[in-house]
Every structure is written in structure tokens, then in C-alpha cells.
């Protein structure tokens, strides 16, 4: 969709998200497969949890946007990684790095491509969710913007701290 029919807001949200995705991919890049599900600090989130958690959010965004037809169900048990789920110190219950990263990337590419086509009017409607999330993000656009950007970077920060705690250091 061209700039004439999509909104500057949508384009800006997606530009930021594509950088967040790139950063998250960079953090994953050199993590050894045998350390993917390693709990470095008790009660923390390892990469296996974080990336599977993030990977379920494009589907949540498609549902919020009324585009359930664009949902691609995860190949893993999303209940393990839903908001509020506890990260388990058992790598065997989470997708491997080679399994989750293609799904993570494809889902975010799909939702970015769709969001990029939205108009300001479409993003300006009320957030259909209820409760605290709607109070914090009253419009559909503000909810989607949070999930496309801030949410990714919140978990990228956890992954960055995890990397440092196991001695991998900065990815970039």
C-alpha cells in the first residue's frame, strides 16, 4: 500500500517494529542451541521462553484487528508462554531456536505488512479489549503500537541481560 492510502502513523509504527525485530533477531543470532533454554538467574526468562512468548503476539494483534483469517496457529503450546505464565527451567518444553525463529520472523513480517496498510481512522477506533490494557491503550493504534514495539523491546532487554549473565555480552 502506498503512503497516499496508508497512514503515516501506521508506517511509523511498522518502521519502529522492524528495527525492534531486527534487534531481537540479532540478540538470538549467536546464542548456542544448547543454551537456548538455560535459566541463568532463578525466576528469570530464558530466550526459549521469551521468543516463544513474543511469537504468539502477531496472532493476538490479528485477532484485535479483526483478521482472524491471518492467524497461523503456533506449533507449540502457547499456554506455556502466555502473559503471566512462569518461565520453566526445562528447555525440553519450549521450541528450539531453529524452530521458533522462523515462526517469530514470519509472524511479525505478516503483521507488519498488514498494519502498514491501515489508515489513521482504522487505527483510531476504540481498543476492543477490556480492563487495564484498554485503560493504558485506549485506541486500537496505541495497543498495536505497544505490541509491535515496546513489548518486543521489553523482552529484548531481558534477553540482553540474560546474554550478559551467561557471558555472551552484547550482540550488536
Amino acid at each position: 500500500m502506498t503512503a497516499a492510502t496508508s497512514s503515516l502513523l501506521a508506517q511509523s509504527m511498522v518502521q519502529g517494529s522492524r528495527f525492534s525485530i531486527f534487534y531481537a533477531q540479532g540478540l538470538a543470532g549467536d546464542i548456542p542451541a544448547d543454551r537456548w533454554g538455560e535459566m541463568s538467574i532463578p525466576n528469570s526468562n530464558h530466550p526459549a521462553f521469551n521468543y516463544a512468548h513474543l511469537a504468539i503476539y502477531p496472532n493476538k494483534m490479528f485477532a484485535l484487528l479483526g483478521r482472524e483469517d491471518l492467524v497461523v496457529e503456533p506449533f507449540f503450546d502457547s499456554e506455556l508462554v502466555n502473559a503471566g505464565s512462569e518461565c520453566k527451567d526445562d528447555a525440553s518444553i519450549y521450541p528450539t531456536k531453529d524452530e521458533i525463529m522462523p515462526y517469530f520472523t514470519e509472524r511479525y513480517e505478516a503483521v507488519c505488512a498488514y498494519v502498514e496498510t491501515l489508515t489513521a481512522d482504522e487505527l483510531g477506533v476504540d481498543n476492543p479489549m477490556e480492563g487495564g490494557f484498554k485503560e493504558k491503550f485506549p485506541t486500537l493504534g496505541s495497543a498495536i503500537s505497544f505490541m509491535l514495539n515496546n513489548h518486543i523491546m521489553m523482552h529484548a532487554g531481558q534477553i540482553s541481560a540474560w546474554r550478559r549473565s551467561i557471558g555472551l555480552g552484547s550482540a550488536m
Side-chain angles (χ1 to χ4, degrees):
M1 180 129 322
T2 66
T5 53
S6 67
S7 73
L8 179 60
L9 172 62
Q11 293 171 27
S12 298
M13 288 165 44
V14 169
Q15 287 168 355
S17 185
R18 287 191 171 128
F19 178 78
S20 298
I21 294 160
F22 169 77
Y23 181 65
Q25 290 167 327
L27 289 170
D30 65 348
I31 296 174
D34 64 338
R35 301 194 78 181
W36 186 248
E38 180 180 317
M39 178 105 36
S40 64
I41 301 167
N43 302 313
S44 64
N45 293 343
H46 48 60
F49 178 91
N50 275 313
Y51 285 98
H53 172 75
L54 286 170
I56 66 175
Y57 274 81
N59 287 337
K60 292 176 185 289
M61 287 182 263
F62 280 132
L64 269 178
L65 292 162
R67 292 303 309 263
E68 288 85 357
D69 59 308
L70 298 176
V71 168
V72 174
E73 291 300 327
F75 58 90
F76 55 93
D77 181 3
S78 63
E79 292 299 316
L80 287 171
V81 295
N82 268 335
S85 295
E86 179 184 341
C87 180
K88 306 286 186 194
D89 192 11
D90 178 2
S92 72
I93 63 174
Y94 298 101
T96 67
K97 177 181 170 183
D98 288 341
E99 292 170 330
I100 198 62
M101 292 310 294
Y103 181 77
F104 167 90
T105 300
E106 185 282 326
R107 291 287 69 213
Y108 276 99
E109 286 176 359
V111 79
C112 282
Y114 181 74
V115 168
E116 200 167 39
T117 70
L118 299 176
T119 66
D121 287 343
E122 290 169 317
L123 292 168
V125 300
D126 286 345
N127 177 353
M129 295 182 76
E130 298 297 328
F133 193 77
K134 183 173 183 156
E135 291 171 19
K136 290 178 187 84
F137 306 105
T139 65
L140 184 59
S142 62
I144 297 296
S145 181
F146 170 79
M147 287 188 267
L148 276 178
N149 291 289
N150 307 80
H151 185 240
I152 295 170
M153 291 306 257
M154 288 166 50
H155 290 287
Q158 291 177 349
I159 296 159
S160 180
W162 176 90
R163 289 178 57 87
R164 291 169 190 268
S165 74
I166 69 159
L168 281 179
S170 174
M172 304 266 185

